[in-house]
Structure formats: structure tokens, C-alpha cells
Amino acid sequence: MSFYPLLWQAGGRVFADGGKKAAFNSPEGVEALTFLVDLYKSGAVPRSAMNNANLFTDQALGRQQVAMGYTNTPADAVLAEKAWGKGNVIVGPALTGPGKQVCFGMPGGLGINAKSGNVPGAEKFIAYMVQPAQIESMGRAGGFFSPRTDVTVPNDSSYAKEYEQALDHTYPGEPNPAARQLMALLSPEIQAALTGKKSPKAALDAAAAEADELLARQR
């Protein structure tokens, strides 16, 4: 949620077509990580960002150690307003890189375990939960937007309009069975680049080599 949006904005991808090899060490990936490293070296990204959780409270943004965040939820904006006052909170559009304007976001999902003992029953339950009435009800309760174009979830937040505009630029990522494991390989290499132990290209190449081995084992 920190590097991938920059990668996509630069026009890059996490996986090559087919998901069998890593693609984040492309020139676009190097450009994105170089941008992040430059921010870190200039002091614009705090050292705590190495292991920050994607939260507002008790993290750099909530502590006013940075001027902005680009992975914050509507609930974060409401918390910021309560803490700082409405006039001190601005929700801007999705960031635009040299490749395109894109941000990360994903619809809530309901899945069926492959080992479920009652797949037909689970399918009926999911079919019920994705009907308009349930979508609206869950959206009201959770503060989320509707994943369906034919369902509108009323939102009383003063920032709802700005977040709704970002939906046109929201990208859910690149699904892959090894996605989580790959992120675990990539994270320490990004840290190595930020701390100057490796160049952005060397760091991404090292992560890609490990990722390719991982993906080869998934076949």
C-alpha cells in the first residue's frame, strides 16, 4: 500500500503477464522506488515509515510528523477532522505519476473455502449478501462505498464526495496466489534501498530474483 501505488502510477506492474514472473524491477519500478528513496533522503518520509501500519492513529500522520498520507480511508479523514478541526483537513485526488493516475483500493469480498462442507449453502448465503439491500446496509454500518453501480450507499461524511471521485482511479491490485509471500520478499529490499545499502535497481533486481524462484515453485 506504499510502494505498489507508486509503481502503478509510474506505469509499472508487479507481475509479468500470466503471473509467472516478477515485473516490478522494470524501468518504471526503478523510477518509482527512486522517487520514494529521494523522498526518504530528503526527510519527507520519517524513519518510522519502515514499519508503519496503515493507520492514522499513533502513526506518523496522526502524530503530525508528515504533511500527507496517500493510503488513508474515509474513516481516517473523519478522525483527522475531530483531532485538528475541519479547516485543517484536505482530501485530494488520487496521485498522478508519470504513467497514470491510480490509487489502491478493493471491494470487500466474501469467499467460499474450498474445503467447505456445505458449498451450496455458502453460495446461497453469498448470493443473499450481495443483493442491493444488504450492500446498502453493510455500507451504512461500515462506512464503505458500494461495489455495485446500481446501489448507492448514503454517506454523511463531509469527505464522501472526494473519496467517491477517487473510485474511478482505484485499482484492486494484481491477484496472484503468491502475492502475500512476494510482498514479504520485496519489503526488506525496499528497506535496503531506503537506507542506502542498495541502489533502487539492485534492490528490485534482488527481490525479483527471489520472487521468480517463488513463482516457479507455485506452478
Side-chain angles (χ1 to χ4, degrees), residues 1-214:
M1 297 182 75
S2 54
F3 175 64
Y4 282 179
L6 300 178
L7 172 67
W8 297 326
Q9 288 159 16
R13 293 179 56 84
V14 179
F15 299 98
D17 291 341
K20 300 300 183 182
K21 291 182 70 67
F24 53 74
N25 60 330
S26 63
E28 293 82 5
V30 174
E31 181 178 9
L33 185 52
T34 299
F35 172 71
L36 190 59
V37 168
D38 289 345
L39 284 178
Y40 185 79
K41 287 181 178 178
S42 72
V45 178
R47 292 185 180 277
S48 63
M50 292 286 191
N51 52 15
N52 268 1
N54 184 50
L55 299 171
F56 173 81
T57 305
D58 293 329
Q59 300 295 335
L61 184 58
R63 292 173 179 172
Q64 300 186 51
Q65 296 172 337
V66 295
M68 64 160 286
Y70 61 92
T71 58
N72 299 103
T73 67
D76 292 332
V78 173
L79 283 175
E81 180 181 313
K82 291 180 179 178
W84 308 333
K86 183 174 177 59
N88 297 313
V89 180
I90 297 173
V91 175
L95 297 181
T96 302
K100 55 186 174 180
Q101 185 177 18
V102 61
C103 58
F104 172 77
M106 56 192 299
L110 296 171
I112 300 175
N113 192 306
K115 296 182 180 180
S116 171
N118 186 1
V119 172
E123 289 176 342
K124 289 181 180 179
F125 173 73
I126 289 180
Y128 169 77
M129 291 301 292
V130 297
Q131 293 303 306
Q134 279 62 251
I135 292 291
E136 181 177 343
S137 176
M138 288 190 291
R140 283 179 178 274
F144 294 103
F145 297 103
S146 171
R148 293 178 54 148
T149 57
D150 61 343
V151 179
T152 299
V153 176
N155 194 314
D156 297 331
S157 169
S158 55
Y159 306 106
K161 182 178 180 181
E162 288 83 354
Y163 274 99
E164 284 179 333
Q165 291 174 343
L167 293 177
D168 290 336
H169 308 288
T170 301
Y171 183 50
E174 301 171 45
N176 189 289
R180 293 286 180 178
Q181 293 168 278
L182 188 145
M183 283 190 284
L185 297 176
L186 185 55
S187 180
E189 295 297 341
I190 290 177
Q191 292 177 358
L194 291 175
T195 55
K197 295 178 181 178
K198 293 183 179 180
S199 69
K201 185 177 188 311
L204 292 179
D205 282 345
E210 292 186 81
D212 286 347
E213 291 183 10
L214 171 66

